[in-house]
Amino acid sequence: MNRNLIIGACLSSVVLIGALVSFMWTPFETDTVNIAARMRLPDGTNWLGTDHFGRDLLSMIMVGARTSLAVAVVAVGIGMGVGVPLGLAAAARQGSLLDEVISRLNDLIFAFPSLVIAILITAVFGAGAVNAIIAIGIFNIPVFARLSRGAALSLWQREFILAARTAGKTATRISVEHILPNIANLLIVQGTIQFSLGILAEAGLSYVGLGAQPPVPSWGRMLADAQTMVSLAPHVAIVPGMAIVLTVLGLNLLGDGLRDALDPKLRRRVA
């Protein structure tokens, strides 16, 4: 039994279900201010309590989940959609000018922390969810490019690839038909890891005011709003903080579980 996979899938499913349900229903409206109920502790009416504007924290967490998930999904999609083809192209033309250019661009982006790049882009082009997606997606490109290039290079000397080249298949066709299916498990595992990092990056950008803008709820901005009232109502900070921790933990466990399940060597070791 793969415990990490089960726990990670359960935690991730709870967050995903909460985000999907929020499109149709939330306990309270997230844009309704109720000063009379501000900073209320968790009770039978507000299960997770209320914030400094009297908004229901459970509703805010549910809607904030879809914001974080949407940003992370699109950002990882950008990184994978651009980075994987670049990595496969570089591996297919190892030692060429194209390979050198792609490798140096990867090194250039990796020289700067991802959050610094994201802050720079959103500061130049303006705050908002779209710019946060672009910023996080740009950093994901070299991650997938380097991973796919390294994994593909180890396959280009294999017998079945040499047979495909002898049969007259082009490098592009070999990359799509033979290389990509054999590295898909690595890309899936890395995708879950980058997904969790994307949620952290989105929360960080929202915390400093460069992510999703009001009135759209965001876990990072909920933390930023709560930092001055921790001593008065600690649950206002604990709730979004735990949402981020449990979501990232679930995705990391899911990634570890998928790695164990998809890696033949690890499967044999467990057996």
Side-chain angles (χ1 to χ4, degrees), residues 75 78-79 109 117 121 125 131-143:
I78 292 173
I109 296 178
I117 295 177
I121 293 175
F125 296 101
N131 289 332
I133 290 172
I134 296 174
I136 301 171
I138 287 175
F139 182 77
N140 281 327
I141 291 174
V143 173

Side-chain angles (χ1 to χ4, degrees), residues 48 50-51 57 61 207 219 222-245:
L48 297 180
T50 60
D51 66 0
L57 285 178
I61 290 296
Y207 183 85
W219 293 347
M222 291 172 68
L223 278 175
D225 293 340
Q227 64 181 349
T228 59
M229 55 193 77
V230 173
S231 59
L232 299 176
H235 69 282
V236 178
I238 292 174
V239 169
M242 289 301 299
I244 296 172
V245 169

Side-chain angles (χ1 to χ4, degrees), residues 36-161:
R38 63 193 302 267
M39 291 189 291
R40 178 180 292 172
L41 293 174
D43 55 26
T45 303
N46 304 100
W47 291 0
L48 297 180
T50 60
D51 66 0
H52 58 299
F53 288 128
R55 297 173 297 185
D56 180 62
L57 285 178
L58 177 58
S59 303
M60 298 282 289
I61 290 296
M62 292 173 64
V63 179
R66 74 188 190 204
T67 302
S68 296
L69 292 179
V71 170
V73 165
V74 179
V76 171
I78 292 173
M80 189 175 291
V82 178
V84 172
L86 288 177
L88 293 176
R93 295 167 176 80
Q94 182 183 8
S96 66
L97 178 60
L98 176 63
D99 183 23
E100 186 67 20
V101 170
I102 292 175
S103 298
R104 297 293 76 78
L105 287 176
N106 288 341
D107 294 339
L108 178 62
I109 296 178
F110 273 128
F112 300 93
S114 59
L115 190 58
V116 172
I117 295 177
I119 292 175
L120 176 63
I121 293 175
T122 51
V124 172
F125 296 101
V130 174
N131 289 332
I133 290 172
I134 296 174
I136 301 171
I138 287 175
F139 182 77
N140 281 327
I141 291 174
V143 173
F144 287 103
R146 178 171 290 185
L147 175 65
S148 57
R149 179 185 180 275
L153 284 176
S154 65
L155 294 175
W156 269 101
Q157 304 304 320
R158 300 284 294 273
E159 290 78 3
F160 69 97
I161 299 297

Side-chain angles (χ1 to χ4, degrees), residues 176-201:
V176 174
E177 294 183 357
H178 301 286
I179 301 293
L180 184 58
N182 280 280
I183 67 172
N185 57 338
L186 295 176
L187 297 177
I188 292 172
V189 173
Q190 189 64 42
T192 59
I193 296 174
Q194 295 305 123
F195 194 84
S196 64
L197 294 177
I199 289 177
L200 283 176

